[in-house]
Amino acid sequence: MDNFVFSNPTKIVFGTGVEMQAGTEVKPFSDRVLLHFGGGSAVRSGLLSRIRESLVATGIHCVELGGVEPNPRLSLVREGIALCRREKLSFILALGGGSVIDSAKAIAVGVPYAGDVWDFFDYSTQPATALPVGAVLTIPAAGSESSSRSVISNTEMQLKRSVTTDLIRPRFALMNPELTYTLPPFQSACGIADIMSHVMERYFTNTRDVELTDRLCEAALRTVIVSAPSVMCDPCCYAARAEIMWTGSIAHNDLLNTGREGDWASHAIGHELSAFYDAIHGAGLAVIFPAWMKFVYRHDLARFAQFANRVWEVEMDHFNPEKTALEGIRRMELFFHSLGLPATLSDMGIPDDRFAEIATKCTVRGKGTTGKFVKLDPKAVIAILTLAK
Ligand code: NZQ
Ligand code: ZN
């Protein structure tokens, strides 16, 4: 096990009705707030007006900015920064999923910065300070509600890039599983694929002696696998929605990578698919992860056989661990398929004519590699994309 520091101070308030605590949670930070939300689900469900009510009841002045799109845009982030400055807002409350929360985080680092906020995303500089952010989560997926990351799309440059700093970890996350009842089945499925990917990016590691975190990862995966069918059959199943929602945070709050190195190549490739084709994050991962696995499994057959056995309940064939490993990958593909997720890039409408460009972009302009479990050069990335097509 590697040395590590684990600190995740996001306060989680979980359960029915917790969104009505928005006012009391925000109040210690500010009484002038930007209420940030997406394309309409929060308006349609009545959540936005309930939150507004809770803020106003606590004497908080709020200004609203909706319209965050999946793969959140830099242009709206810039608009949010200008709005916060003009209205002297000093807290950002995000109402939504990863896209809204990431947009809120980007605004938070942009407001106190004299330059352009994209400087943080192209790694020219690191944020020195940020406005505080809070989240009311409506879709379990990205884990942004307690992560230190914001991922933003720059459509002009066809880039999707992230900034990582503890300054943007939400101060609190209000998590009511009932708020996820209105999710369309496909969005629930994409969220599930993303949650599982966050665990698997951590699970496939070269670090030795990590039994506890292996077992925690396996428990997180099993919980999602067992709960997913209930959510797909009955969108209002509180028990299953609650399991998935909490697993979504645990999957990405850094606990599962304590003392071990993660991989993250599938995410890097997935982000390029979003940058080029506006691909939905979780759907892209459902296609790329199995292809990545088929490309790298021989690197550590024992780990892949363990994954198959403990996560997918494949009987261990000690004489033929490769067979066990491949059956695990196959069961994962079947599982994604059962949720209605795409199996190939062509299912997603993604053609095969820009693989070289994608590979160059996610390997430091073709001069480096991506991933840690197996370091992938551009040729390897093209091979994975070819397996996924
Ligand atoms: O915009 P609205 O109308 O709200 O609709 C959204 C959106 O279309 C809808 N939705 C959300 N909650 C709903 C709902 N519809 C009905 N009922 C509800 N309760 O779902 C759609 C997707 O929302 P989005 O926020 O895009 O989903 P997700 O949480 O999957 O976020 C994806 C983004 O997070 C980034 C991804 O790259 C992607 O841009 N990630 C952020 C990470 C982080 N900050 O740590 C890590 C992740 O790996 C990921 O990269
Ligand atoms: Zn993700």
Side-chain angles (χ1 to χ4, degrees), residues 162-297:
S162 61
V163 62
T164 305
T165 162
D166 277 324
L167 294 168
I168 55 176
R169 229 185 258 279
R171 304 304 173 99
F172 61 81
L174 305 180
M175 297 171 54
N176 175 0
E178 291 167 338
L179 298 182
T180 68
Y181 290 175
T182 51
L183 277 169
F186 185 68
Q187 287 297 343
S188 294
C190 289
I192 286 165
D194 193 20
I195 292 168
M196 292 177 68
S197 299
H198 293 159
V199 180
M200 295 186 298
E201 296 279 20
R202 292 166 163 96
Y203 189 79
F204 292 100
T205 182
N206 295 314
T207 314
R208 297 289 146 191
D209 303 320
V210 285
E211 184 64 16
L212 172 67
T213 42
D214 268 6
R215 296 283 185 180
L216 291 173
C217 287
E218 290 154 5
L221 291 168
R222 285 295 308 152
T223 302
V224 173
I225 293 163
V226 168
S227 307
S230 309
V231 159
M232 301 314 279
C233 292
D234 174 10
C236 301
C237 176
Y238 183 88
R241 287 287 193 191
E243 295 290 356
I244 290 177
M245 194 175 218
W246 186 216
T247 310
S249 292
I250 297 289
H252 203 45
N253 75 352
D254 292 337
L255 175 69
L256 302 186
N257 53 275
T258 44
R260 60 197 288 152
E261 182 181 62
D263 181 68
W264 298 100
S266 300
H267 265 73
I269 300 170
H271 286 333
E272 298 308 338
L273 297 178
S274 295
F276 278 87
Y277 302 103
D278 205 18
I280 297 178
H281 180 64
L285 288 165
V287 170
I288 293 299
F289 231 113
W292 174 84
M293 287 179 167
K294 286 173 200 165
F295 188 78
V296 304
Y297 75 92

